[in-house]
């Protein structure tokens, strides 16, 4: 750390940092003018589920900093692994070179992931994994003598990232509309989000009805379709829309029947978030109970599995596209152009891979999936007052994700809830009137109690 950085850090106050940030940083997903009335939140340090400002004021990170953090901020075990890696190798290009962390990570993921996903291709953020999977799928069909298969389908309200290719399979008007002229048009099919079921219709029946719509679409257009991309079990950006796993099982059957790749985007839901290491393991009408085995009894294997966010425990940008040996082999040839000529400078960065290995170690050593099951049961018990609140609708839970809608007169509910939450020491980041919790897995019972009681207090002011 340079001397000037240390001096500057010592001098920083909340106020100074805000002013400097507003003058020099263009913040993501933000209408910057909003910050004239809604101040940025300065963060000096993090520890466990807590983020602290320069005055020591703290916020419980109930959204795991955009769904990435698994084992708390400044986790000593991930820190130690990174410090060790820093002394060995910070980076080397992955084209023509290789290194221990990337090889080990690929081997371990192959063992853990659903059957058949024998190869890992590396990217940086989630959106780059989506881009890679879309390109790889279409290129596979081209290499296999079906160059006309260039279309993709996704679910209504899907979210797969915000680069141009990823936006072509993202169905969120707010993120797409300004770039309509730049984006390839792809079709969407009905989402099995159970909030959309008819009165009296159970989630499973509704999911099967949506799968019928997928089948009708595939029947008509499969010759032009390369892949169907889906967020397994939970459509995060759609407002934590949850659906019955039977949909995934049907989607797998239909994609195989019609010769279309299935891309499972587990960027947000992978790494234990839904209760199994990968959400695809639950793709059956009878989801497996822990201890979960590889692939899960009745789970599905997609043609592509996308990982990012939690894969590094929330430390460093890394994404991975896992795919089958059959797809890998379609690129393996003497001609350069049949190869997958895609790259990012930081592909397979050793530090990021090492953070991912430390994350997998914690899963193994701490029996995280079982512990999370107990935590989720505890949370569901103490969240009863929220579930029964007269202004709360559709209280739902999958694994370590909870969500509900709030009946409120405020059209700017999300912003008000965020600001009020901060006053209650909570980082809440509702989507519209949907409040959700996606806390780091190391959250304690006491912290869960605090999250529930203070959310109730926040909501009571806003209804
Ligand atoms: C399901 C899903 N796919 C892709 C992405 C894009 O990831 P990133 O923001 O790292 O580009 C996200 C981000 O929220 C996501 O939830």
């Amino acid at each position: 750390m340079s001397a000037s950085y240390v001096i500057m850090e010592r001098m920083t106050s909340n106020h100074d940092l805000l002013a400097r940030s507003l003058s020099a940083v263009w913040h993501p997903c933000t209408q910057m003018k909003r910050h004239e009335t809604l101040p940025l939140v300065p963060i000096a340090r993090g520890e466990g589920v807590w983020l602290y400002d320069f005055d020591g004021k703290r916020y419980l990170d109930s959204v795991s900093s955009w769904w990435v953090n698994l084992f708390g901020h400044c986790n000593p075990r991930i820190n130690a692994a990174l410090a060790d890696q820093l002394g060995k190798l910070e980076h080397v290009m992955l084209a023509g070179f290789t290194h221990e962390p990337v090889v080990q990570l690929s081997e371990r993921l192959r063992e853990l992931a659903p059957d058949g996903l024998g190869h890992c291709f590396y990217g940086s953020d989630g959106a780059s994994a989506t881009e890679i999977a879309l390109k790889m799928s279409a290129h596979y069909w081209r290499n296999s003598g079906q160059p006309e298969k260039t279309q993709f389908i996704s679910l209504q309200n899907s979210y797969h990232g915000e680069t141009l290719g990823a936006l072509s399979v993202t169905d969120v008007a707010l993120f797409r509309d300004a770039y309509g002229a730049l984006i390839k048009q792809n079709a969407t099919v009905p989402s099995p989000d159970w909030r959309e079921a008819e009165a009296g219709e159970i989630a499973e029946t509704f999911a099967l009805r949506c799968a019928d719509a997928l089948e009708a679409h595939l029947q008509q257009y499969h010759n032009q379709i390369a892949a169907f991309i889906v967020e397994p079990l939970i459509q995060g950006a759609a407002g934590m829309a949850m659906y019955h796993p039977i949909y995934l099982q049907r989607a797998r059957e239909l994609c195989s029947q019609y010769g279309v790749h299935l891309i499972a985007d587990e960027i947000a839901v992978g790494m234990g978030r839904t209760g199994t290491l990968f959400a695809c393991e639950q793709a059956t009408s009878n989801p497996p109970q822990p201890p979960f085995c590889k692939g899960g009894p009745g789970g599905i294997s997609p043609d592509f599995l996308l990982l990012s966010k939690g894969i590094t425990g929330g430390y460093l940008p890394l994404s991975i596209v896992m795919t089958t040996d059959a797809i890998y082999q379609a690129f393996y040839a003497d001609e350069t152009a049949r190869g997958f000529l895609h790259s990012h400078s930081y592909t397979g960065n050793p530090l990021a891979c090492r953070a991912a290995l430390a994350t997998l170690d914690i899963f193994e050593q701490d029996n995280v999936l079982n512990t999370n099951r107990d935590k989720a049961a505890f949370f569901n018990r103490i969240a009863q007052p929220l579930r029964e609140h007269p202004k709360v609708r559709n209280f739902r839970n999958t694994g370590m994700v909870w969500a509900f809608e709030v009946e409120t007169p405020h059209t700017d509910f999300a912003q008000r809830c965020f600001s009020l939450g901060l006053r209650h020491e909570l980082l809440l980041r509702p989507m519209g009137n949907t409040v959700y919790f996606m806390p780091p897995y190391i959250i304690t019972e006491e912290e869960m109690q605090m999250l529930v009681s203070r959310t109730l207090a926040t909501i009571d002011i806003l209804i």
Side-chain angles (χ1 to χ4, degrees), residues 255-309:
C255 284
S256 299
Q257 183 183 338
Y258 288 98
V260 164
H261 290 143
L262 178 64
I263 305 174
D265 176 351
E266 298 223 9
I267 288 165
V269 297
M271 307 313 292
R273 201 34 95 172
T274 64
T276 40
L277 193 58
F278 304 105
C280 280
E281 294 171 45
Q282 297 180 50
T284 161
S285 47
N286 301 305
Q289 295 300 307
F292 303 109
C293 56
K294 183 182 169 185
I300 55 154
S301 288
D303 300 291
F304 298 93
L305 180 82
L306 314 188
L307 297 172
S308 189
K309 291 193 184 273

Short mmCIF file of all heavy atoms in Angstrom, two decimals, residues 255-309:
data_model
loop_
_atom_site.label_atom_id
_atom_site.label_comp_id
_atom_site.label_asym_id
_atom_site.label_seq_id
_atom_site.Cartn_x
_atom_site.Cartn_y
_atom_site.Cartn_z
N CYS A 255 -35.98 -29.73 -24.57
CA CYS A 255 -34.79 -29.29 -25.30
C CYS A 255 -34.10 -30.49 -25.94
O CYS A 255 -33.65 -30.40 -27.10
CB CYS A 255 -33.84 -28.54 -24.36
SG CYS A 255 -34.40 -26.88 -23.99
N SER A 256 -34.03 -31.61 -25.23
CA SER A 256 -33.41 -32.81 -25.82
C SER A 256 -34.25 -33.29 -27.00
O SER A 256 -33.72 -33.62 -28.07
CB SER A 256 -33.31 -33.93 -24.78
OG SER A 256 -32.51 -33.50 -23.72
N GLN A 257 -35.57 -33.31 -26.81
CA GLN A 257 -36.46 -33.81 -27.87
C GLN A 257 -36.35 -32.97 -29.14
O GLN A 257 -36.35 -33.51 -30.25
CB GLN A 257 -37.90 -33.77 -27.34
CG GLN A 257 -38.95 -34.31 -28.29
CD GLN A 257 -40.35 -34.16 -27.69
OE1 GLN A 257 -40.51 -34.05 -26.47
NE2 GLN A 257 -41.36 -34.16 -28.54
N TYR A 258 -36.22 -31.64 -28.98
CA TYR A 258 -36.23 -30.76 -30.16
C TYR A 258 -34.83 -30.31 -30.59
O TYR A 258 -34.69 -29.43 -31.44
CB TYR A 258 -37.13 -29.54 -29.89
CG TYR A 258 -38.59 -29.92 -29.90
CD1 TYR A 258 -39.27 -30.16 -28.72
CD2 TYR A 258 -39.26 -30.10 -31.11
CE1 TYR A 258 -40.60 -30.55 -28.72
CE2 TYR A 258 -40.59 -30.49 -31.13
CZ TYR A 258 -41.26 -30.70 -29.93
OH TYR A 258 -42.57 -31.10 -29.96
N GLY A 259 -33.79 -30.88 -30.01
CA GLY A 259 -32.42 -30.55 -30.45
C GLY A 259 -32.06 -29.10 -30.20
O GLY A 259 -31.58 -28.38 -31.09
N VAL A 260 -32.32 -28.64 -28.98
CA VAL A 260 -32.02 -27.25 -28.60
C VAL A 260 -31.21 -27.32 -27.30
O VAL A 260 -31.52 -28.12 -26.41
CB VAL A 260 -33.36 -26.47 -28.38
CG1 VAL A 260 -33.15 -25.19 -27.62
CG2 VAL A 260 -34.03 -26.20 -29.73
N HIS A 261 -30.15 -26.51 -27.20
CA HIS A 261 -29.36 -26.53 -25.96
C HIS A 261 -30.15 -25.92 -24.80
O HIS A 261 -30.91 -24.97 -24.99
CB HIS A 261 -28.07 -25.71 -26.12
CG HIS A 261 -27.07 -26.35 -27.04
ND1 HIS A 261 -26.28 -25.62 -27.90
CD2 HIS A 261 -26.73 -27.65 -27.22
CE1 HIS A 261 -25.49 -26.44 -28.58
NE2 HIS A 261 -25.75 -27.67 -28.18
N LEU A 262 -29.88 -26.44 -23.61
CA LEU A 262 -30.45 -25.84 -22.39
C LEU A 262 -29.31 -25.16 -21.64
O LEU A 262 -28.32 -25.81 -21.26
CB LEU A 262 -31.09 -26.92 -21.51
CG LEU A 262 -31.68 -26.40 -20.19
CD1 LEU A 262 -32.84 -25.44 -20.43
CD2 LEU A 262 -32.14 -27.56 -19.31
N ILE A 263 -29.44 -23.85 -21.47
CA ILE A 263 -28.42 -23.09 -20.72
C ILE A 263 -29.00 -22.77 -19.35
O ILE A 263 -30.00 -22.06 -19.24
CB ILE A 263 -28.06 -21.76 -21.43
CG1 ILE A 263 -27.61 -22.02 -22.87
CG2 ILE A 263 -26.98 -21.01 -20.64
CD1 ILE A 263 -27.36 -20.74 -23.69
N ALA A 264 -28.38 -23.32 -18.29
CA ALA A 264 -28.83 -23.02 -16.93
C ALA A 264 -27.98 -21.87 -16.40
O ALA A 264 -26.78 -22.04 -16.15
CB ALA A 264 -28.68 -24.26 -16.05
N ASP A 265 -28.60 -20.72 -16.26
CA ASP A 265 -27.88 -19.54 -15.73
C ASP A 265 -27.97 -19.58 -14.21
O ASP A 265 -28.95 -19.13 -13.61
CB ASP A 265 -28.52 -18.27 -16.30
CG ASP A 265 -27.88 -17.00 -15.72
OD1 ASP A 265 -27.09 -17.12 -14.77
OD2 ASP A 265 -28.20 -15.91 -16.22
N GLU A 266 -26.94 -20.17 -13.59
CA GLU A 266 -26.91 -20.27 -12.13
C GLU A 266 -25.99 -19.20 -11.53
O GLU A 266 -25.43 -19.37 -10.45
CB GLU A 266 -26.48 -21.69 -11.70
CG GLU A 266 -27.44 -22.77 -12.16
CD GLU A 266 -27.73 -23.83 -11.10
OE1 GLU A 266 -27.33 -23.66 -9.94
OE2 GLU A 266 -28.36 -24.85 -11.47
N ILE A 267 -25.87 -18.09 -12.26
CA ILE A 267 -25.01 -17.00 -11.80
C ILE A 267 -25.47 -16.50 -10.43
O ILE A 267 -24.66 -16.28 -9.53
CB ILE A 267 -25.02 -15.87 -12.87
CG1 ILE A 267 -24.20 -16.34 -14.08
CG2 ILE A 267 -24.49 -14.55 -12.31
CD1 ILE A 267 -24.42 -15.52 -15.34
N ALA A 268 -26.79 -16.35 -10.26
CA ALA A 268 -27.31 -15.89 -8.97
C ALA A 268 -27.73 -17.05 -8.07
O ALA A 268 -27.61 -16.96 -6.85
CB ALA A 268 -28.50 -14.95 -9.19
N VAL A 269 -28.24 -18.14 -8.65
CA VAL A 269 -28.83 -19.19 -7.81
C VAL A 269 -27.88 -20.33 -7.50
O VAL A 269 -28.21 -21.21 -6.69
CB VAL A 269 -30.12 -19.76 -8.44
CG1 VAL A 269 -31.20 -18.70 -8.55
CG2 VAL A 269 -29.85 -20.41 -9.80
N GLY A 270 -26.70 -20.36 -8.15
CA GLY A 270 -25.75 -21.44 -7.88
C GLY A 270 -25.07 -21.25 -6.53
O GLY A 270 -25.39 -20.33 -5.78
N MET A 271 -24.14 -22.13 -6.22
CA MET A 271 -23.35 -22.05 -5.00
C MET A 271 -24.22 -22.06 -3.73
O MET A 271 -24.03 -21.26 -2.81
CB MET A 271 -22.42 -20.83 -5.02
CG MET A 271 -21.54 -20.74 -6.25
SD MET A 271 -20.72 -22.29 -6.66
CE MET A 271 -19.58 -22.47 -5.30
N GLY A 272 -25.18 -22.97 -3.73
CA GLY A 272 -25.94 -23.24 -2.50
C GLY A 272 -27.09 -22.30 -2.24
O GLY A 272 -27.82 -22.49 -1.25
N ARG A 273 -27.32 -21.30 -3.06
CA ARG A 273 -28.32 -20.28 -2.74
C ARG A 273 -29.73 -20.87 -2.63
O ARG A 273 -30.54 -20.43 -1.84
CB ARG A 273 -28.25 -19.20 -3.82
CG ARG A 273 -28.79 -17.85 -3.51
CD ARG A 273 -28.64 -17.34 -2.11
NE ARG A 273 -27.51 -16.50 -1.83
CZ ARG A 273 -27.36 -15.86 -0.65
NH1 ARG A 273 -28.27 -15.96 0.32
NH2 ARG A 273 -26.29 -15.15 -0.42
N THR A 274 -30.02 -21.89 -3.44
CA THR A 274 -31.39 -22.44 -3.42
C THR A 274 -31.52 -23.65 -2.50
O THR A 274 -32.57 -24.29 -2.45
CB THR A 274 -31.87 -22.85 -4.83
OG1 THR A 274 -31.03 -23.93 -5.28
CG2 THR A 274 -31.79 -21.69 -5.80
N GLY A 275 -30.44 -24.02 -1.80
CA GLY A 275 -30.51 -25.16 -0.89
C GLY A 275 -29.66 -26.34 -1.35
O GLY A 275 -29.25 -27.17 -0.55
N THR A 276 -29.42 -26.44 -2.64
CA THR A 276 -28.49 -27.44 -3.17
C THR A 276 -27.33 -26.65 -3.79
O THR A 276 -27.49 -25.47 -4.11
CB THR A 276 -29.16 -28.30 -4.26
OG1 THR A 276 -29.99 -27.46 -5.07
CG2 THR A 276 -30.00 -29.41 -3.65
N LEU A 277 -26.18 -27.31 -3.99
CA LEU A 277 -25.05 -26.54 -4.52
C LEU A 277 -25.43 -25.89 -5.84
O LEU A 277 -25.16 -24.71 -6.08
CB LEU A 277 -23.82 -27.44 -4.67
CG LEU A 277 -22.51 -26.69 -4.90
CD1 LEU A 277 -22.19 -25.71 -3.78
CD2 LEU A 277 -21.35 -27.67 -5.08
N PHE A 278 -26.11 -26.67 -6.69
CA PHE A 278 -26.62 -26.12 -7.96
C PHE A 278 -28.14 -26.31 -7.95
O PHE A 278 -28.64 -27.36 -7.55
CB PHE A 278 -26.00 -26.86 -9.15
CG PHE A 278 -24.49 -26.82 -9.13
CD1 PHE A 278 -23.76 -27.94 -8.77
CD2 PHE A 278 -23.81 -25.65 -9.44
CE1 PHE A 278 -22.37 -27.90 -8.70
CE2 PHE A 278 -22.42 -25.60 -9.38
CZ PHE A 278 -21.71 -26.72 -9.01
N ALA A 279 -28.84 -25.29 -8.43
CA ALA A 279 -30.31 -25.34 -8.42
C ALA A 279 -30.82 -26.48 -9.30
O ALA A 279 -31.86 -27.08 -9.01
CB ALA A 279 -30.88 -24.01 -8.89
N CYS A 280 -30.09 -26.81 -10.37
CA CYS A 280 -30.52 -27.87 -11.30
C CYS A 280 -30.71 -29.21 -10.60
O CYS A 280 -31.43 -30.07 -11.09
CB CYS A 280 -29.49 -28.05 -12.41
SG CYS A 280 -29.65 -26.83 -13.71
N GLU A 281 -30.03 -29.39 -9.46
CA GLU A 281 -30.17 -30.65 -8.73
C GLU A 281 -31.59 -30.87 -8.24
O GLU A 281 -31.97 -31.98 -7.89
CB GLU A 281 -29.22 -30.67 -7.52
CG GLU A 281 -27.76 -30.68 -7.90
CD GLU A 281 -26.86 -30.47 -6.69
OE1 GLU A 281 -27.10 -31.11 -5.65
OE2 GLU A 281 -25.94 -29.64 -6.78
N GLN A 282 -32.37 -29.82 -8.15
CA GLN A 282 -33.74 -29.95 -7.62
C GLN A 282 -34.78 -30.10 -8.72
O GLN A 282 -35.97 -30.04 -8.45
CB GLN A 282 -34.08 -28.72 -6.77
CG GLN A 282 -33.19 -28.57 -5.56
CD GLN A 282 -33.54 -27.35 -4.74
OE1 GLN A 282 -34.68 -27.11 -4.40
NE2 GLN A 282 -32.53 -26.54 -4.43
N ALA A 283 -34.31 -30.29 -9.96
CA ALA A 283 -35.25 -30.32 -11.08
C ALA A 283 -36.01 -31.63 -11.15
O ALA A 283 -35.73 -32.50 -11.96
CB ALA A 283 -34.49 -30.08 -12.37
N THR A 284 -36.95 -31.78 -10.27
CA THR A 284 -37.77 -32.97 -10.20
C THR A 284 -39.01 -32.63 -9.40
O THR A 284 -39.03 -31.61 -8.71
CB THR A 284 -36.99 -34.12 -9.50
OG1 THR A 284 -37.92 -35.09 -9.04
CG2 THR A 284 -36.23 -33.62 -8.27
N SER A 285 -40.03 -33.45 -9.47
CA SER A 285 -41.22 -33.14 -8.66
C SER A 285 -40.97 -33.48 -7.19
O SER A 285 -41.70 -33.04 -6.33
CB SER A 285 -42.44 -33.89 -9.19
OG SER A 285 -42.10 -35.22 -9.42
N ASN A 286 -39.93 -34.28 -6.92
CA ASN A 286 -39.57 -34.58 -5.53
C ASN A 286 -38.15 -34.11 -5.26
O ASN A 286 -37.21 -34.91 -5.35
CB ASN A 286 -39.64 -36.09 -5.25
CG ASN A 286 -41.03 -36.61 -5.51
OD1 ASN A 286 -41.99 -36.10 -4.94
ND2 ASN A 286 -41.13 -37.58 -6.40
N PRO A 287 -37.95 -32.83 -4.94
CA PRO A 287 -36.58 -32.32 -4.76
C PRO A 287 -35.81 -33.12 -3.71
O PRO A 287 -36.40 -33.58 -2.73
CB PRO A 287 -36.79 -30.88 -4.30
CG PRO A 287 -38.17 -30.53 -4.70
CD PRO A 287 -38.95 -31.80 -4.70
N PRO A 288 -34.50 -33.33 -3.93
CA PRO A 288 -33.70 -34.14 -3.01
C PRO A 288 -33.55 -33.48 -1.64
O PRO A 288 -33.59 -32.27 -1.52
CB PRO A 288 -32.35 -34.22 -3.70
CG PRO A 288 -32.29 -33.01 -4.57
CD PRO A 288 -33.69 -32.74 -5.00
N GLN A 289 -33.38 -34.32 -0.62
CA GLN A 289 -33.12 -33.81 0.72
C GLN A 289 -31.62 -33.93 0.98
O GLN A 289 -30.97 -34.83 0.48
CB GLN A 289 -33.86 -34.66 1.75
CG GLN A 289 -35.37 -34.58 1.64
CD GLN A 289 -35.88 -33.16 1.83
OE1 GLN A 289 -35.55 -32.51 2.80
NE2 GLN A 289 -36.64 -32.66 0.87
N PRO A 290 -31.05 -33.05 1.81
CA PRO A 290 -29.63 -33.18 2.15
C PRO A 290 -29.39 -34.48 2.91
O PRO A 290 -30.33 -34.96 3.56
CB PRO A 290 -29.36 -31.97 3.05
CG PRO A 290 -30.53 -31.07 2.88
CD PRO A 290 -31.68 -31.90 2.43
N PRO A 291 -28.19 -35.09 2.94
CA PRO A 291 -27.05 -34.57 2.20
C PRO A 291 -27.21 -34.79 0.70
O PRO A 291 -27.57 -35.87 0.27
CB PRO A 291 -25.88 -35.39 2.76
CG PRO A 291 -26.52 -36.66 3.23
CD PRO A 291 -27.89 -36.31 3.68
N PHE A 292 -26.96 -33.75 -0.07
CA PHE A 292 -27.19 -33.82 -1.49
C PHE A 292 -26.04 -34.56 -2.17
O PHE A 292 -24.90 -34.38 -1.82
CB PHE A 292 -27.30 -32.41 -2.07
CG PHE A 292 -28.38 -31.62 -1.41
CD1 PHE A 292 -28.05 -30.58 -0.56
CD2 PHE A 292 -29.70 -31.93 -1.60
CE1 PHE A 292 -29.04 -29.85 0.06
CE2 PHE A 292 -30.69 -31.20 -0.99
CZ PHE A 292 -30.36 -30.16 -0.14
N CYS A 293 -26.40 -35.38 -3.14
CA CYS A 293 -25.33 -36.05 -3.87
C CYS A 293 -25.17 -35.39 -5.22
O CYS A 293 -25.99 -34.57 -5.63
CB CYS A 293 -25.62 -37.53 -4.02
SG CYS A 293 -27.18 -37.85 -4.79
N LYS A 294 -24.11 -35.73 -5.88
CA LYS A 294 -23.80 -35.13 -7.17
C LYS A 294 -24.98 -35.26 -8.14
O LYS A 294 -25.51 -36.33 -8.34
CB LYS A 294 -22.59 -35.85 -7.75
CG LYS A 294 -22.12 -35.29 -9.05
CD LYS A 294 -20.96 -36.12 -9.53
CE LYS A 294 -20.64 -35.74 -10.96
NZ LYS A 294 -19.61 -36.57 -11.52
N GLY A 295 -25.36 -34.15 -8.73
CA GLY A 295 -26.45 -34.18 -9.69
C GLY A 295 -27.81 -34.30 -9.03
O GLY A 295 -28.81 -33.92 -9.61
N GLY A 296 -27.87 -34.78 -7.81
CA GLY A 296 -29.13 -34.93 -7.11
C GLY A 296 -29.98 -36.00 -7.77
O GLY A 296 -29.99 -36.12 -8.98
N PRO A 297 -30.68 -36.83 -6.98
CA PRO A 297 -31.53 -37.84 -7.62
C PRO A 297 -32.63 -37.11 -8.40
O PRO A 297 -33.36 -36.32 -7.84
CB PRO A 297 -32.10 -38.62 -6.44
CG PRO A 297 -31.87 -37.76 -5.23
CD PRO A 297 -30.77 -36.82 -5.53
N GLY A 298 -32.69 -37.36 -9.68
CA GLY A 298 -33.73 -36.73 -10.48
C GLY A 298 -33.35 -35.35 -10.96
O GLY A 298 -34.10 -34.72 -11.68
N GLY A 299 -32.19 -34.83 -10.58
CA GLY A 299 -31.77 -33.52 -11.07
C GLY A 299 -31.46 -33.59 -12.55
O GLY A 299 -31.31 -34.67 -13.11
N ILE A 300 -31.35 -32.43 -13.18
CA ILE A 300 -31.05 -32.42 -14.62
C ILE A 300 -29.63 -31.94 -14.87
O ILE A 300 -29.05 -31.24 -14.05
CB ILE A 300 -32.01 -31.50 -15.40
CG1 ILE A 300 -31.99 -30.08 -14.81
CG2 ILE A 300 -33.41 -32.08 -15.46
CD1 ILE A 300 -32.35 -29.01 -15.80
N SER A 301 -29.10 -32.34 -16.02
CA SER A 301 -27.82 -31.80 -16.49
C SER A 301 -28.11 -30.89 -17.67
O SER A 301 -28.62 -31.35 -18.69
CB SER A 301 -26.90 -32.92 -16.95
OG SER A 301 -26.42 -33.64 -15.86
N PRO A 302 -27.80 -29.61 -17.54
CA PRO A 302 -27.98 -28.72 -18.69
C PRO A 302 -26.83 -28.92 -19.68
O PRO A 302 -25.85 -29.60 -19.37
CB PRO A 302 -27.93 -27.34 -18.06
CG PRO A 302 -27.06 -27.52 -16.86
CD PRO A 302 -27.26 -28.93 -16.37
N ASP A 303 -26.91 -28.30 -20.85
CA ASP A 303 -25.80 -28.35 -21.80
C ASP A 303 -24.74 -27.32 -21.44
O ASP A 303 -23.57 -27.48 -21.77
CB ASP A 303 -26.32 -28.11 -23.23
CG ASP A 303 -27.33 -29.17 -23.61
OD1 ASP A 303 -26.92 -30.32 -23.79
OD2 ASP A 303 -28.54 -28.85 -23.67
N PHE A 304 -25.19 -26.23 -20.81
CA PHE A 304 -24.27 -25.20 -20.31
C PHE A 304 -24.72 -24.81 -18.91
O PHE A 304 -25.92 -24.63 -18.67
CB PHE A 304 -24.31 -23.94 -21.18
CG PHE A 304 -23.90 -24.14 -22.60
CD1 PHE A 304 -24.84 -24.42 -23.58
CD2 PHE A 304 -22.56 -24.03 -22.98
CE1 PHE A 304 -24.46 -24.60 -24.90
CE2 PHE A 304 -22.18 -24.20 -24.29
CZ PHE A 304 -23.13 -24.49 -25.27
N LEU A 305 -23.78 -24.69 -18.01
CA LEU A 305 -24.09 -24.22 -16.65
C LEU A 305 -23.24 -22.98 -16.40
O LEU A 305 -22.02 -23.02 -16.53
CB LEU A 305 -23.74 -25.31 -15.63
CG LEU A 305 -24.03 -24.95 -14.19
CD1 LEU A 305 -25.49 -25.19 -13.86
CD2 LEU A 305 -23.18 -25.80 -13.24
N LEU A 306 -23.91 -21.86 -16.07
CA LEU A 306 -23.18 -20.60 -15.88
C LEU A 306 -23.04 -20.29 -14.39
O LEU A 306 -24.02 -20.34 -13.65
CB LEU A 306 -23.94 -19.43 -16.54
CG LEU A 306 -24.47 -19.65 -17.95
CD1 LEU A 306 -25.02 -18.33 -18.51
CD2 LEU A 306 -23.40 -20.20 -18.88
N LEU A 307 -21.82 -19.96 -13.99
CA LEU A 307 -21.55 -19.60 -12.59
C LEU A 307 -20.83 -18.26 -12.54
O LEU A 307 -20.01 -17.95 -13.41
CB LEU A 307 -20.66 -20.65 -11.93
CG LEU A 307 -21.23 -22.06 -11.81
CD1 LEU A 307 -20.15 -23.03 -11.31
CD2 LEU A 307 -22.44 -22.09 -10.89
N SER A 308 -21.14 -17.49 -11.50
CA SER A 308 -20.38 -16.25 -11.24
C SER A 308 -20.77 -15.82 -9.82
O SER A 308 -21.01 -16.67 -8.98
CB SER A 308 -20.70 -15.18 -12.28
OG SER A 308 -19.83 -14.08 -12.14
N LYS A 309 -20.85 -14.55 -9.55
CA LYS A 309 -21.27 -14.02 -8.24
C LYS A 309 -20.64 -14.80 -7.08
O LYS A 309 -19.47 -14.62 -6.79
CB LYS A 309 -22.80 -14.01 -8.15
CG LYS A 309 -23.44 -12.97 -9.09
CD LYS A 309 -24.88 -12.75 -8.75
CE LYS A 309 -25.59 -11.82 -9.71
NZ LYS A 309 -25.48 -10.42 -9.36
#
